Amino acid sequence: MKTPVLIIGAGPIGLALAGDLGFRGVDCMLIERTDGAVLQPKMDMVGIRTMEFCRRWGIVPWVESAGYNRDYPQDCAWVTTLSGHEFGREVFPSPKDEKCPPQSPQKRERCPQNFFDPVLKRFASQFPGVTLAYQTELVSFEEKADGVTALLRDLQTGEERRVEAQFLVGTDGGASQVRQSLGIQMTGEPALTYTTNVVFRCEGLEKLHNLKPAYRYIFIGPEGTWATLVAINGRDQWRFSLVGDDNRLTHTEEYMRAAVIRAVGRDFDFEILSMLPWVRRQLVAESYGTQRVFIAGDAAHMTSPTGGFGMNTGIQDAVNLSWKLAGYLQGWGGRTLLDSYEVEMRPVALRNVAEATGNLKRMLSPRVSSPSPAVFEDGPEGDRARVEFGNAYTEQMKREWFSIGIHLGYMFEGSPIIVPDGTPQPPDEVSTYRPTARPGSRAPHVWLSPGESLIDLFGREFVLLRFGASAPEAGPLEVAAKRRGVPFKAQRIDNPEAAALYERPLVLVRPDGQVAWRGDALPDDVEGLLDTLCGIRHDA
């Protein structure tokens, strides 16, 4: 069997990659050793940039209707127990009522992995060139100059078959067989904390306590921060996480049941659906692959979930790699196009996993500087101590709750397929994001008409934006792109707000929605410009 791209691992990253390749007309095969069922959702927040990709793919309604209770509030609260005292709270509206920020036509969504994976599977499955094979494992693979030969095994029948692919991509998680087979090492902190998750079902948990409902509770005791509780579906399923330290401990179901009861502050009936011990890590692969084999998602970077960056960074990997594979396979992209994947995405991973670890340290800070014993006592003195402690903790946690800069402000500095324009790199902010059309940045959103965003123009091809009636013609670049088979279109934009934001009369945006070049006029050598943007080198 032959396929242009063989993808190993059908979590959200593999499914997104398969779907985006199908979206670009590239055939691929995606295999997954399990049946695809998600018993322990590892993520629950679909970030704003990922939702912009979902908008591009036309699946936003699928995400919104996937199953999470969109009327449930998204507050984050820090408490002694659900039956005890509340130190503070960051109030957020429900997913249904939350508004899009001015910088995007989308907003984050609550869609835990058990809901999001089926959405992405449905997306990928709609393309006839995408083959999905569950309960199929990778036995081994061999990379050659012209492709990869993989041996696969059907876990139901035991039958083995060989697949020849031009490229193989490992989206097979933190214990990636693909990464290990390549001998790629990971650097960073291998064990930030050992944590045990329990997903449990309880009807009407909110009726068992007097606190306002919240999507996430952080529990702080005399020993500091010791657990969290997160709404899985906004109805009757919850994920309780007992946050340990760097010591590996194995907890029984009885022990975990007692911990859940401690957090709620009273005995109650609940059904444990699954338990999962896991390790928070801060690791990034030293390399993102070879000539024919790449890694993406958790296979390339492992992060604490504090901040919700892990899966969303992986989706960025998938979209970044997809159009480059498409360009190479369709004949208009060169080797440098593929090499730029690591150059662009590895610094983003280093930045994001470091920010997530910072969030974890802020969440666990009461362990370092334990709260005054007074915060656990009733009465006026306890009230005063709780206000003082709660205000300080609330202030430092804001960096995690407000992180639009992480999701939208990433920049591809030093990329070989970006043409810099000499403007200085703006500050890399976390809690704020100032849109910019500087090359290497995400092309900014502007509403062109009700329901129509400027970023809706991007996705399938290079787009040359021409601002205003006096903008130079696109003809020379259009002719050169057509001659070389480069997907390209020119679009005139008569919108003063957009023209002011993009700052140049001509701005060229890549298929992934990142600005590749901008200027006052096309360069004399449009062929050279395309060589750079398409990763084609002319070695002497």
Side-chain angles (χ1 to χ4, degrees), residues 314-376:
I315 297 290
Q316 289 179 28
D317 292 343
V319 173
N320 187 286
L321 180 59
S322 172
W323 76 272
K324 295 171 180 178
L325 287 171
Y328 190 89
L329 290 165
Q330 292 166 355
W332 53 264
R335 180 67 227 182
T336 302
L337 190 64
L338 298 177
D339 294 340
S340 70
Y341 165 60
E342 176 180 325
V343 175
E344 292 184 347
M345 290 310 304
R346 188 170 182 272
V348 175
L350 289 166
R351 160 193 188 249
N352 291 3
V353 299
E355 182 64 23
T357 298
N359 288 336
L360 174 66
K361 291 179 178 178
R362 284 182 283 274
M363 185 184 83
L364 298 180
S365 61
R367 292 184 178 184
V368 179
S369 179
S370 298
S372 164
V375 303
F376 303 105

Side-chain angles (χ1 to χ4, degrees), residues 93-422:
S94 68
K96 184 183 72 174
D97 295 330
E98 190 171 28
K99 306 301 181 185
C100 298
Q103 302 98 324
S104 176
Q106 295 299 143
K107 58 183 177 63
R108 64 175 183 174
E109 289 292 342
R110 293 290 165 204
C111 191
Q113 189 182 355
N114 54 318
F115 295 135
F116 195 50
D117 277 16
V119 166
L120 292 176
K121 180 182 178 182
R122 178 183 173 191
F123 165 58
S125 298
Q126 69 183 350
F127 301 105
V130 174
T131 301
L132 273 63
Y134 286 86
Q135 294 185 306
T136 301
E137 70 175 358
L138 174 68
V139 178
S140 61
F141 67 88
E142 180 182 3
E143 180 179 3
K144 302 177 182 178
D146 59 350
V148 181
T149 301
L151 180 63
L152 310 182
R153 179 185 296 126
D154 186 314
L155 293 177
Q156 292 180 297
T157 65
E159 177 187 358
E160 294 187 349
R161 57 176 168 164
R162 293 192 181 277
V163 173
E164 294 182 8
Q166 291 180 258
F167 294 97
L168 183 148
V169 184
T171 57
D172 49 344
S176 172
Q177 178 186 356
V178 174
R179 186 190 68 239
Q180 294 183 43
S181 296
L182 294 175
I184 297 174
Q185 301 298 312
M186 302 191 86
T187 58
E189 294 293 332
L192 297 169
T193 71
Y194 288 92
T195 298
T196 302
N197 283 1
V198 166
V199 173
F200 69 89
R201 178 186 289 122
C202 175
E203 292 280 356
L205 179 65
E206 296 86 357
K207 297 177 182 178
L208 300 179
H209 61 83
N210 295 323
L211 300 183
K212 290 171 56 181
Y215 142 77
R216 180 181 179 187
Y217 296 98
I218 298 174
F219 298 99
I220 300 173
E223 73 272 52
T225 307
W226 65 278
T228 65
L229 183 67
V230 170
I232 288 296
N233 60 5
R235 294 182 177 84
D236 64 343
Q237 292 187 27
W238 301 83
R239 182 178 68 238
F240 174 81
S241 299
L242 184 64
V243 185
D245 52 24
D246 56 359
N247 295 306
R248 183 190 295 270
L249 298 174
T250 301
H251 298 305
T252 64
E253 182 174 318
E254 180 182 13
Y255 185 93
M256 292 303 298
R257 182 174 288 274
V260 172
I261 290 172
R262 177 193 171 187
V264 174
R266 58 179 290 181
D267 198 0
F268 70 107
D269 292 329
F270 61 97
E271 177 189 4
I272 292 181
L273 302 178
S274 63
M275 283 180 51
L276 176 71
W278 59 284
V279 188
R280 296 173 193 259
R281 306 184 191 275
Q282 180 186 343
L283 295 173
V284 177
E286 294 181 345
S287 165
Y288 272 30
T290 60
Q291 292 288 298
R292 293 281 175 174
V293 183
F294 300 95
I295 56 175
D298 283 0
H301 43 79
M302 301 182 69
T303 180
S304 169
T306 38
F309 307 139
M311 186 276 294
N312 293 292
T313 305
I315 297 290
Q316 289 179 28
D317 292 343
V319 173
N320 187 286
L321 180 59
S322 172
W323 76 272
K324 295 171 180 178
L325 287 171
Y328 190 89
L329 290 165
Q330 292 166 355
W332 53 264
R335 180 67 227 182
T336 302
L337 190 64
L338 298 177
D339 294 340
S340 70
Y341 165 60
E342 176 180 325
V343 175
E344 292 184 347
M345 290 310 304
R346 188 170 182 272
V348 175
L350 289 166
R351 160 193 188 249
N352 291 3
V353 299
E355 182 64 23
T357 298
N359 288 336
L360 174 66
K361 291 179 178 178
R362 284 182 283 274
M363 185 184 83
L364 298 180
S365 61
R367 292 184 178 184
V368 179
S369 179
S370 298
S372 164
V375 303
F376 303 105
E377 298 174 0
D378 295 329
E381 183 180 347
D383 292 340
R384 285 192 295 271
R386 280 186 288 276
V387 168
E388 181 180 353
F389 169 76
N391 287 344
Y393 191 74
T394 299
E395 188 60 32
Q396 73 176 15
M397 290 298 290
K398 286 183 181 294
R399 184 174 172 122
E400 176 175 346
W401 313 137
F402 301 97
S403 57
I404 189 171
I406 294 291
H407 292 277
L408 298 183
Y410 58 95
M411 297 165 274
F412 296 150
E413 292 299 300
S415 170
I417 61 169
I418 295 289
V419 180
D421 66 355

Side-chain angles (χ1 to χ4, degrees), residues 83-99:
S83 303
H85 299 287
E86 181 174 304
F87 296 116
R89 164 183 302 255
E90 200 69 55
V91 177
F92 294 101
S94 68
K96 184 183 72 174
D97 295 330
E98 190 171 28
K99 306 301 181 185

